[in-house]
Amino acid sequence: MQTKFGIIGLGVMGKSLARNMASKGIQLSLYNRFEKGVEEQVAQRFIADFPELSSAKGFEDLADFVQSLERPRKMLLMVKAGAVIDSILEKILPNLSEGDIIIDGGNSHYHDTEKRIKYLAEKNIHFIGCGVSGGEEGALKGPSIMPGGSKEAYQFIAPYLEKIAAKDKYDTPCCTFIGTGGSGHFVKMVHNGIEYAEMQLLAELYFILRHGKNKTPNEIADIFSSWQGTHLDGYLLEITVHILRKKENGDWLIDKILDQAGNKGTGSWTTIAAAELGVPITMITAALFARYISAFKKERVQADQLFQLNHFNKNIDLNIEQLKNAYYLARITNHHQGIHLISTAAETYKWDLHFPEIARIWTNGCIIRSVLMEELMTILQKTDRLIIHPYFIDFIKKHREDLSTTVGQSVAAGLDIPCFSAAINFINGYTNALSSANIIQAQRDYFGAHTYKRNDDPLLKSVHTDWSS
């Protein structure tokens, strides 16, 4: 008997998604490559380990795997992005039939997804670029799923993806057709960028409280815990509370973790995409570069000894309410910038995206799920420029000073807080009719005759000045 759905690649995410699907009664074919002495009978051994997989079939031969699936074949690739995907596509293509559907569930670059969609469409094969968020636990219990590509093909795979997705508060699957082309992977990429900044904000808050307010990890956990159940609540806040309470042999585990952050590329892709599209995602970029700076641990230790700048040299005079308001205002700014980037991409690439629906599928299953995301479902029905929504305008007017004071005092105390700093600088720049860009334009015209426009000319014609005379 042929199976309903296939998964290629049994790494952590592939295995978790397979178990999720099997537990929902989906008959599976599972494939993992054969490499003698390294990867042998991976699928068969995996099936034997979990009762829910008892009806699944395991394969090490791609042709046999493909033939085991009912048509149109539906296959999910859970392999490393890049050349590996192209290699698998070339190997599997001779075994496919018209109308078959291949889903890339990894973090592929959206431009690569666009190319694969066009390449396979010439052979009458559907290719879906599908973002999957939630990590190992989300994949097993219910992720947020962001498929993009052919809407026709999505109708065939929707019953399977929606069955395994997380559910929102209305018990609706956190899975929706994002749009055409590489939009699914683009939206997932920006999700990860927002995630970078959300993580960095919590790290900076911890830093302020630990080294500017002399709080213990447990005291900081108590503060963060008191924010749960409020407008500040979210998955990342919850796990940070658990992290800060964790002890090992009587010592705080957080103090034993090397302060050198890793990244897998989606943060840099988001920053590059924003530069190409001309969108100021200053917070995501600051969070990315903060990770880059952290990676130079050896140089930082040497510089600390060389400069002896006496960091953490004063107790910061900030109350918890000020920090709470600064944190929320920075988060509003981060989400504004991420949504702005998606909106600009949608206009540029002619993707028909539905922003309230994107926010909805981000309310559960994914890493950036939060109370704020629940609020955005409603707010995005009115505007995709979040900080000009009346609710946020009112909050910014009331609490901009809290963010300014947090940044000013923290920097004066020798604390590096790039994300909070990026937030207040963006708000100051975005909400000010005047900027310093007139000097930039004059400089560009002086050395390169790039011209400028005069604000006393209603037609805004481009002009050049002979600055030497």
Side-chain angles (χ1 to χ4, degrees):
M1 184 178 68
Q2 291 184 306
T3 59
K4 300 288 186 181
F5 200 95
I7 297 179
I8 297 174
L10 295 176
V12 171
M13 289 292 286
K15 285 182 176 179
S16 294
L17 288 168
R19 290 181 59 198
N20 186 343
M21 284 191 167
S23 71
K24 304 298 190 300
I26 300 171
Q27 295 171 305
L28 295 174
S29 288
L30 305 176
Y31 168 85
N32 200 81
R33 66 180 180 178
F34 171 84
E35 190 173 345
K36 190 170 180 60
V38 180
E39 291 183 275
E40 297 185 42
Q41 294 191 320
V42 172
Q44 290 87 340
R45 287 187 280 109
F46 172 51
I47 290 169
D49 284 342
F50 296 97
E52 63 265 34
L53 295 168
S54 59
S55 65
K57 298 178 181 180
F59 297 90
E60 291 180 316
D61 181 88
L62 266 178
D64 291 343
F65 164 79
V66 172
Q67 292 307 313
S68 73
L69 294 163
E70 70 175 22
R71 296 174 59 180
R73 301 180 181 98
K74 297 163 283 291
M75 294 157 282
L76 174 65
L77 298 182
M78 294 303 300
V79 299
K80 186 176 180 181
V84 175
I85 291 176
D86 292 321
S87 174
I88 289 176
L89 290 178
E90 290 307 314
K91 291 175 183 176
I92 204 172
L93 267 174
N95 303 291
L96 299 181
S97 306
E98 290 189 8
D100 286 349
I101 304 162
I102 300 175
I103 310 156
D104 176 9
N107 283 329
S108 289
H109 194 281
Y110 67 101
H111 283 322
D112 290 341
T113 300
E114 295 267 4
K115 291 174 185 174
R116 290 167 186 146
I117 288 172
K118 291 176 182 176
Y119 173 64
L120 291 174
E122 293 172 356
K123 305 176 188 304
N124 294 312
I125 305 295
H126 296 292
F127 190 83
I128 298 285
C130 185
V132 180
S133 177
E136 179 182 2
E137 183 180 8
L140 180 61
K141 297 180 180 179
S144 174
I145 306 177
M146 296 151 258
S150 161
K151 192 162 190 178
E152 174 192 352
Y154 179 69
Q155 307 307 318
F156 287 98
I157 63 174
Y160 302 96
L161 299 185
E162 293 176 5
K163 190 172 285 189
I164 66 168
K167 301 296 188 292
D168 66 15
K169 62 183 181 182
Y170 304 109
D171 203 37
T172 303
C174 290
C175 172
T176 193
F177 178 71
I178 297 296
T180 57
S183 59
H185 274 145
F186 188 94
V187 167
K188 173 56 163 57
M189 178 189 74
V190 177
H191 165 285
N192 286 17
I194 294 170
E195 178 185 308
Y196 270 52
E198 291 290 283
M199 294 170 71
Q200 181 66 26
L201 285 173
L202 281 166
E204 291 177 16
L205 262 181
Y206 159 80
F207 214 57
I208 292 168
L209 289 165
R210 186 78 190 274
H211 301 291
K213 300 289 288 181
N214 298 313
K215 302 287 186 184
T216 67
N218 199 54
E219 289 172 331
I220 299 170
D222 286 341
I223 292 168
F224 289 173
S225 181
S226 72
W227 296 352
Q228 292 178 266
T230 74
H231 62 291
L232 296 177
D233 205 356
Y235 172 73
L236 286 169
L237 182 71
E238 293 169 9
I239 68 169
T240 305
V241 170
H242 295 158
I243 289 166
L244 293 174
R245 294 205 194 282
K246 185 71 172 178
K247 283 191 171 185
E248 184 180 82
N249 300 322
D251 299 320
W252 303 111
L253 179 57
I254 192 65
D255 290 338
K256 298 179 183 295
I257 297 176
L258 183 67
D259 56 334
Q260 189 170 331
N263 72 92
K264 289 189 174 180
T266 47
S268 61
W269 288 354
T270 309
T271 297
I272 292 167
E276 291 173 343
L277 293 167
V279 180
I281 56 163
T282 56
M283 292 186 64
I284 295 172
T285 302
L288 173 69
F289 287 174
R291 293 194 187 192
Y292 288 170
I293 290 173
S294 78
F296 291 89
K297 176 65 174 179
K298 184 178 179 180
E299 292 183 31
R300 290 191 292 113
V301 171
Q302 292 171 341
D304 193 342
Q305 296 168 347
L306 179 65
F307 285 91
Q308 296 185 3
L309 292 178
N310 191 23
H311 293 285
F312 323 137
N313 58 4
K314 61 178 71 172
N315 188 43
I316 293 175
D317 184 25
L318 292 169
N319 61 49
I320 301 304
E321 193 65 24
Q322 287 174 301
L323 289 173
K324 184 178 178 180
N325 292 332
Y327 174 52
Y328 189 58
L329 183 44
R331 292 187 64 218
I332 293 168
T333 307
N334 178 32
H335 286 72
H336 166 90
Q337 292 181 354
I339 296 295
H340 185 183
L341 177 55
I342 296 174
S343 172
T344 302
E347 294 171 11
T348 302
Y349 300 122
K350 304 297 186 290
W351 295 332
D352 183 20
L353 305 188
H354 301 279
F355 295 97
E357 184 69 356
I358 291 172
R360 184 192 67 78
I361 67 169
W362 284 354
T363 61
N364 200 10
C366 70
I367 304 300
I368 61 172
R369 60 187 186 265
S370 66
V371 171
L372 174 57
M373 197 62 70
E374 300 260 359
E375 295 169 343
L376 295 189
M377 288 171 56
T378 301
I379 289 169
L380 285 167
Q381 293 175 5
K382 302 292 185 182
T383 180
D384 56 15
R385 299 293 190 267
L386 300 184
I387 66 173
I388 64 170
H389 187 277
Y391 172 72
F392 291 142
I393 289 174
D394 184 58
F395 191 89
I396 291 168
K397 284 181 176 179
K398 288 180 180 177
H399 301 297
R400 185 175 73 96
E401 189 65 31
D402 290 329
L403 180 56
S404 298
T405 303
T406 296
V407 171
Q409 289 200 23
S410 297
V411 171
L415 302 177
D416 56 314
I417 52 164
C419 249
F420 276 104
S421 300
I424 189 58
N425 283 324
F426 178 82
I427 289 170
N428 286 345
Y430 191 84
T431 60
N432 195 338
L434 293 178
S435 79
S436 59
N438 52 344
I439 289 290
I440 303 297
Q441 285 301 93
Q443 291 169 336
R444 293 178 72 242
D445 189 56
Y446 191 109
F447 65 70
H450 292 294
T451 74
Y452 61 91
K453 296 175 181 178
R454 298 179 61 100
N455 57 28
D456 57 359
D457 174 14
L459 298 178
L460 294 176
K461 298 186 299 291
S462 294
V463 297
H464 168 62
T465 292
D466 180 1
W467 296 94
S468 61
S469 62

